[in-house]
Amino acid sequence: MDSDTSRVSSRPSSPEVDDIFMSALKKSVHGFSGAVSSTQSDSPSEIPGLRGLSAADEEALALRMASKKDRKLLSENELQAIRLKINSRERKRMHDLNVAMDGLREVMPYAHGPSVRKLSKIATLLLARNYILMLSNSLEEMKRLVSEIYGSSGHHGGFHPSTCGTMTHAGPVPGHPAASHASHPAVHHPLLPPPAVSTASLSAPGISAVTSVRPHHGLLKAPTAGAGPVGSSFQHWGVGTGMPCPCSMCQVPPPHVSSMSSVTMPRLASDSK
DNA sequence: TAGGCCATCTGGTCCT
DNA sequence: AGGACCAGATGGCCTA
């Protein structure tokens, strides 16, 4: 994998297509022994499941392939070229898929870095799903709280309590008036998972599957280091005061904590086994 | 050494 | 017709 820096591999994830194509073409000139990759060949005689075919079989195959297209005969070289072209497209497609997967990994709240093993594809997908679920839950809860507060007490009716003004919020809280309070919790609200969230605590139903997928690898070689984009800025306590934010928003007991914790990943627990 | 993960090849199917 | 997408097969690399 081109982006796989943590996993040392001698095999390039996405070899230069043109190079492969050209080298294969060069080899194909000498017959059907053109090897495209280090693992497999584009030669029909080496196609998985077709190994051991005689020359006659290969020819029959070529004829069959040709007949499936437009009944016109194609030379071996033409078929080879078509096959190489298709293979090249498929490689590119898979490469693009991997790029997208890397992009997804980048925005996932798990420890990144050279010392951290890259998430597998399945783990990335499961984690992403759980992450989305968790964020959705948080958002819904925030909406509920805001409507509750605005609906009942006039405390936050337009502005934040003065007590809150004495507190230093851990993260950037532009404005901070009630209207922007929705973003407040995103910074340090108890409803949201603690900093340790990183990869592990994002667990949701299904992330245990990640555990089952890769139970012993230990996705986080340094579990406490480098929390992701979410975890790194997490702080519920007032900076400098050592006190929790006294505002009613921050003191509302998190009713969904349990549900949130149900979204908490048990994976690292099993990882730490 | 077994198992997990991955890249690649391949043929089939669907879509434009 | 050509390309995109998909799933099965295969073999290599890595880790426990």
Side-chain angles (χ1 to χ4, degrees), chain A residues 4-25:
Chain A
D4 192 345
T5 55
S6 62
R7 183 173 176 178
V8 180
S9 172
S10 60
R11 179 185 53 196
S13 66
S14 180
E16 194 52 48
V17 169
D18 290 340
D19 291 346
I20 294 174
F21 188 80
M22 292 312 294
S23 66
L25 274 183

Side-chain angles (χ1 to χ4, degrees), chain A residues 79-117:
Chain A
L79 287 175
Q80 178 82 347
I82 291 173
R83 195 61 252 176
L84 289 177
K85 187 179 174 185
I86 293 173
N87 290 350
S88 176
R89 272 203 308 270
E90 178 66 8
R91 274 196 301 271
K92 180 185 180 304
R93 195 182 70 85
M94 295 309 296
H95 178 248
D96 291 344
L97 181 64
N98 287 334
V99 168
M101 192 67 71
D102 286 337
L104 184 56
R105 286 189 187 98
E106 284 177 9
V107 299
M108 293 305 298
Y110 76 100
H112 302 79
S115 63
V116 181
R117 181 189 299 279

Side-chain angles (χ1 to χ4, degrees), chain A residues 3-68:
Chain A
S3 62
D4 192 345
T5 55
S6 62
R7 183 173 176 178
V8 180
S9 172
S10 60
R11 179 185 53 196
S13 66
S14 180
E16 194 52 48
V17 169
D18 290 340
D19 291 346
I20 294 174
F21 188 80
M22 292 312 294
S23 66
L25 274 183
K26 276 189 225 169
K27 293 189 178 182
S28 70
V29 170
H30 302 297
F32 255 48
S33 59
V36 168
S37 71
S38 61
T39 59
Q40 290 189 340
S41 163
D42 272 322
S43 166
S45 63
E46 296 183 20
I47 294 172
L50 294 181
R51 291 184 176 83
L53 288 182
S54 66
D57 290 334
E58 285 181 4
E59 188 168 351
L61 174 69
L63 287 172
R64 190 162 56 88
M65 289 177 68
S67 67
K68 290 186 77 170

